[in-house]
Amino acid sequence: MASLRFASPRLRNYFKENYIPQVCEALLCGLLATCPEDPLKYLEEMIIAIMENGLESLLWDICIDPSMKPKIRRLSETYLEQLFGLDDQLMTPELMIKACTFYTGRLLKTHFCMWRETMTPCTNEVEILAEQMERAREYDNFRLQKCVFHHWHSYVKHQKEQRKDILQRIQQIIYCRRLVTILIKWRDKAKQKYKKREDELMLKHELQFKKWKSKVKVNVNAKEESISPEHCVSEVSLISEIPEFDISEFPKRALLQIFSYLSLRDVVICGQVSRSWLLMTQMSSLWNGIDFSTVKNIITDKYIVSILQRWRLNVLRLNFHGCLLRLKTLRSVSLCRNLQELNVSDCPTLTDESMRYISESCSGVLYLNLSNTTITNRTMRLLPRHFHNLQNLSLAYCRKFTDKGLQYLNLGNGCHKLIYLDLSGCTQISVQGFKNIANSCTGIMHLTINDMPTLTDNCVKALVEKCHRITSVVFIGAPHISDCTFKALSNCDLRKIRFEGNKRITDECFKLIDQNYPNINHIYMADCKGITDGSLKSLSPLKQLTVLNLANCVRIGDMGLKQFLDGPASKKIRELNLSNCIYLSDASIAKLPECCSNLNYLSLRNCEHLTDLGVEHIVNIFSLVSVDLSGTDITNEGLMILSRHRKLKELSLSECDKITDVGIQLFCKGSPILEHLDVSYCPQLSDEIIKALAIYCISLTSLSIAGCPKITDTGMEMLSAKCHYLHILDVSGCILLTDQMLEDLKMGCKQLRILKMQYCRLISMKAAKKMSSIVQHQEHSSADPPLWFGYDWEGKPLTEQQDTTPFKDLELTMKESTYSSEEQVV
């Protein structure tokens, strides 16, 4: 085959024209792929097929069965052209001669050019050197000009920046000057408005006070002088000129809302005004709840029976707290078959027999308070038989029932729906009694056991074995409870814990709280001496905590409070009581504003290291409503800072001996919504603070000025003339007050409910007795002030020799300091 490369052109053309290489390629590929048994016959058939299809459409795989064709791409027309030497792309001698000629000419041209450049002589070298020197000089001048220009440009740029800074400073000075001018004008205008407001308030105060005095004078004259007929006629004519207004024209819904705020006594008095008023007081919805405890000293059994008979179908709630009733009167309760709430606590005449009548008729009772009564196991047997839906039961201080009585709770339908149980003071209950409660009342959620010195960890364990739904526990006055109780309660989802006066509780219990009670929101651990900074660190991860009371936990300091504030527990905290935590200082108080954005109540009572610097941080807690700074080193400057808050409603400054009348006046000017103020045992204060309260804080509802010997009737007269919403007043130790104060209070403070007048020598017993018929609670004594008041019966400070007992009763101080805003009860 290779000889065809050198064959004649005629032979080569013959092979190409007749497609000999293509035919051979197709036949060979078919043989190789098919491998027929009879190759000759196969070649014959394939040649015939090629002839039929034509040589122009001949492909290399035409003789291969379609199922056996390889899937490869065609690269060229045929591979046999090279095999037969028919490839025209091979190098020919003519092409070789042309390529050599071109290469030789190119090489000759290159070498000739190089030879010419080498052989050409260098002419005029001086001119060339001069030209190069000129270029070098120009380049050097250019570099020099560039350098000079760069320095000049930097200088100009610096001058522009300096000029720009000067212009900015000038503009800033002009702007600041303008602001100073505006601020000066605004300050002058604010001073004028403030002075105008002060003048208006003072003028208004003087006018109202004059009006008050004239009213008092008229009342005095009316009592002293008899009224003439002419005067009566003139009064009748004046009254006839006043347009009449009938309150009965109000909608029934509005009347019901108005009368719902009145006590039973007031409702009865209103019914005696006129026939229309009597009809208004006979609305059935007004008698859904009847509170006889407010009139227990004046109401008769006959009247109680008549009321219950008349409104027996409407009565849902009855309160007989402290009422001394006959058996017949108690039996009349059975007439109220729709009764849902019954309070017979402190009723000495309540017996098992009367409870039998009540239980047989009032089976729908949900709330039952039997505390401090003489009930026995007979009553305990009645409870599960008749009160099937009972949810709230109080057996506090009922000491005549036994463990067997608690076993009766599982009889009949049982008290399985009981949610709240109060066993305070029931010292006769043993561990077996708590097991009986657990067997019958498995749904208890709120458990209160106060004043129980016999309560131990085993009692709680016996109860918790079957009562897994407990969410709140109150163990005040249970000194034998320890950390084991918290371990026993780990199966419950506690939300509220209240302990007080326990020395066996340590930091370990707070670790259990962190691990087992993530949803707890109320922790009251007052007067627990074993609690340290580690407890606060354990409480810091609690995300739902809203109330924390650690009053009298004297081992708590700045480190513990800082660790608590660094955790998520501080985000939702609303009440924080750290009274008597003497190691706290301004350093930890500084973190309160940034961490406790929702804090409403704060007590730092007797925190000796708290100063005016700490008050600067407290004033930045904008959500704060009540603050107790009694017994601290706060001064008038601190009160002036605190006045900037303007949202405080309650402030306690008891025993703050560094504040004066000036500080209280400054605070009152910035606190128009103040409702509660306690400045007791601040003997340096005088009538000036009463005047400030009467001018600026007319919404005052509670005031304590006990231990302030400089307060006189003049100041109390101003208070009575302006503060008409006063509910609570404590003037104990105000030795200069007389009976005139009570007359003023009767006229001006008609909403007064609690009045304390201990150690007021000039107030007579007769006047105090008259006042007791007006207020709900009153305390009065004519004895000399005790020595711990710091002054004698004339108001003179005691010497060191006279003051043998400078400190007050510790129990009273602790009681006052451990109440929070949610826990105070009037």
Side-chain angles (χ1 to χ4, degrees), residues 457-710:
D457 296 332
N458 293 330
C459 297
V460 179
K461 289 179 182 178
L463 185 65
V464 175
E465 283 181 0
K466 296 184 179 180
C467 299
H468 301 303
R469 298 178 60 189
I470 295 177
T471 59
S472 70
V473 291
V474 182
F475 297 148
I476 297 177
H480 298 293
I481 292 293
S482 66
D483 298 336
C484 297
T485 295
F486 289 93
K487 193 172 182 180
L489 290 167
S490 59
N491 294 328
C492 305
D493 185 16
L494 285 185
R495 304 296 178 90
K496 178 180 178 180
I497 297 175
R498 285 175 61 91
F499 281 79
E500 184 177 345
N502 194 305
K503 296 181 180 180
R504 301 185 65 188
I505 293 177
T506 64
D507 294 340
E508 190 64 29
C509 81
F510 287 92
K511 293 180 181 179
L512 295 171
I513 291 174
D514 177 27
Q515 296 171 3
N516 301 319
Y517 317 126
N519 297 321
I520 195 165
N521 54 41
H522 186 118
I523 296 178
Y524 179 98
M525 292 283 192
D527 197 21
C528 297
K529 309 299 182 183
I531 296 175
T532 65
D533 289 341
S535 300
L536 283 175
K537 184 179 180 181
S538 301
L539 294 178
S540 61
L542 300 176
K543 297 182 179 180
Q544 305 298 327
L545 191 62
T546 57
V547 178
L548 179 61
N549 191 327
L550 298 178
N552 299 321
C553 298
V554 294
R555 299 175 67 183
I556 291 176
D558 287 335
M559 184 61 67
L561 183 57
K562 287 180 180 179
Q563 290 174 342
F564 173 77
L565 295 177
D566 288 335
S570 61
K571 302 300 179 184
K572 287 189 176 181
I573 195 77
R574 291 190 296 106
E575 298 189 13
L576 182 62
N577 192 332
L578 298 172
S579 300
N580 296 313
C581 297
I582 56 177
Y583 294 114
L584 292 178
S585 65
D586 299 335
S588 57
I589 302 302
K591 297 194 67 174
L592 285 175
E594 58 179 308
C595 301
C596 304
S597 56
N598 296 313
L599 191 63
N600 298 137
Y601 173 86
L602 176 64
S603 178
L604 299 172
R605 192 183 188 94
N606 295 329
C607 294
E608 302 171 355
H609 301 291
L610 181 66
T611 63
D612 294 339
L613 183 61
V615 176
E616 289 186 9
H617 300 293
I618 292 175
V619 78
N620 294 323
I621 309 175
F622 302 112
S623 59
L624 203 61
V625 175
S626 175
V627 61
D628 189 347
L629 300 175
S630 302
T632 61
D633 283 339
I634 185 174
T635 64
N636 291 339
E637 184 178 354
L639 285 179
M640 183 179 66
I641 296 171
L642 200 61
S643 65
R644 299 203 301 261
H645 193 281
R646 294 187 177 275
K647 293 183 180 180
L648 286 179
K649 292 184 178 181
E650 299 180 5
L651 177 64
S652 296
L653 299 170
S654 180
E655 299 181 59
C656 294
D657 52 1
K658 293 185 179 180
I659 62 172
T660 62
D661 294 338
V662 177
I664 301 295
Q665 287 174 338
L666 291 173
F667 176 77
C668 291
K669 287 181 181 180
S671 305
I673 62 173
L674 187 68
E675 296 178 2
H676 169 82
L677 180 64
D678 182 2
V679 289
S680 56
Y681 311 108
C682 297
Q684 68 275 14
L685 302 181
S686 66
D687 286 342
E688 293 298 322
I689 66 164
I690 306 297
K691 183 178 180 181
L693 291 172
I695 295 174
Y696 305 105
C697 306
I698 58 175
S699 300
L700 200 67
T701 59
S702 175
L703 176 63
S704 176
I705 50 176
C708 299
K710 296 181 181 180

Side-chain angles (χ1 to χ4, degrees), residues 319-509:
N319 187 356
F320 290 105
H321 172 72
C323 295
L324 187 63
L325 305 175
R326 293 184 300 176
L327 179 61
K328 182 180 178 181
T329 306
L330 289 172
R331 285 183 180 181
S332 63
V333 177
S334 60
L335 299 173
C336 307
R337 298 184 179 273
N338 296 323
L339 190 65
Q340 296 181 3
E341 297 182 12
L342 176 62
N343 185 350
V344 288
S345 59
D346 294 315
C347 290
T349 56
L350 181 70
T351 61
D352 296 329
E353 187 67 19
S354 57
M355 279 302 302
R356 183 175 67 82
Y357 284 101
I358 295 173
S359 60
E360 289 177 353
S361 302
C362 306
S363 58
V365 172
L366 303 176
Y367 170 91
L368 181 60
N369 191 341
L370 301 173
S371 59
N372 201 18
T373 56
T374 58
I375 62 166
T376 64
N377 290 342
R378 293 177 59 191
T379 298
M380 300 299 292
R381 183 179 295 180
L382 296 172
L383 295 181
R385 288 183 179 178
H386 302 284
F387 298 141
H388 303 151
N389 298 318
L390 190 63
Q391 297 180 2
N392 191 312
L393 176 62
S394 177
L395 300 172
Y397 307 102
C398 296
R399 294 189 172 91
K400 291 193 176 182
F401 70 90
T402 62
D403 294 340
K404 188 176 181 181
L406 295 173
Q407 191 175 3
Y408 292 149
L409 295 178
N410 204 20
L411 298 177
N413 292 326
C415 294
H416 303 305
K417 295 184 180 181
L418 203 63
I419 296 176
Y420 176 88
L421 180 62
D422 188 353
L423 297 175
S424 301
C426 298
T427 54
Q428 74 277 12
I429 302 177
S430 64
V431 177
Q432 184 60 40
F434 284 98
K435 288 183 180 179
N436 295 336
I437 295 173
N439 292 330
S440 56
C441 308
T442 57
I444 293 177
M445 298 178 66
H446 308 284
L447 182 64
T448 302
I449 309 178
N450 297 330
D451 299 329
M452 193 82 160
T454 58
L455 186 68
T456 61
D457 296 332
N458 293 330
C459 297
V460 179
K461 289 179 182 178
L463 185 65
V464 175
E465 283 181 0
K466 296 184 179 180
C467 299
H468 301 303
R469 298 178 60 189
I470 295 177
T471 59
S472 70
V473 291
V474 182
F475 297 148
I476 297 177
H480 298 293
I481 292 293
S482 66
D483 298 336
C484 297
T485 295
F486 289 93
K487 193 172 182 180
L489 290 167
S490 59
N491 294 328
C492 305
D493 185 16
L494 285 185
R495 304 296 178 90
K496 178 180 178 180
I497 297 175
R498 285 175 61 91
F499 281 79
E500 184 177 345
N502 194 305
K503 296 181 180 180
R504 301 185 65 188
I505 293 177
T506 64
D507 294 340
E508 190 64 29
C509 81

Side-chain angles (χ1 to χ4, degrees), residues 41 59 65 98 103 185 205 222 343 358 384 389 546 550-551 584 602 686 689 707 735 765 824-825:
K41 187 176 180 180
L59 298 175
D65 189 77
K98 287 183 179 181
Y103 177 74
K185 291 182 179 179
H205 169 71
N343 185 350
I358 295 173
N389 298 318
T546 57
L550 298 178
L584 292 178
L602 176 64
S686 66
I689 66 164
I735 56 176
M765 189 63 68
Q824 287 181 351
V825 179

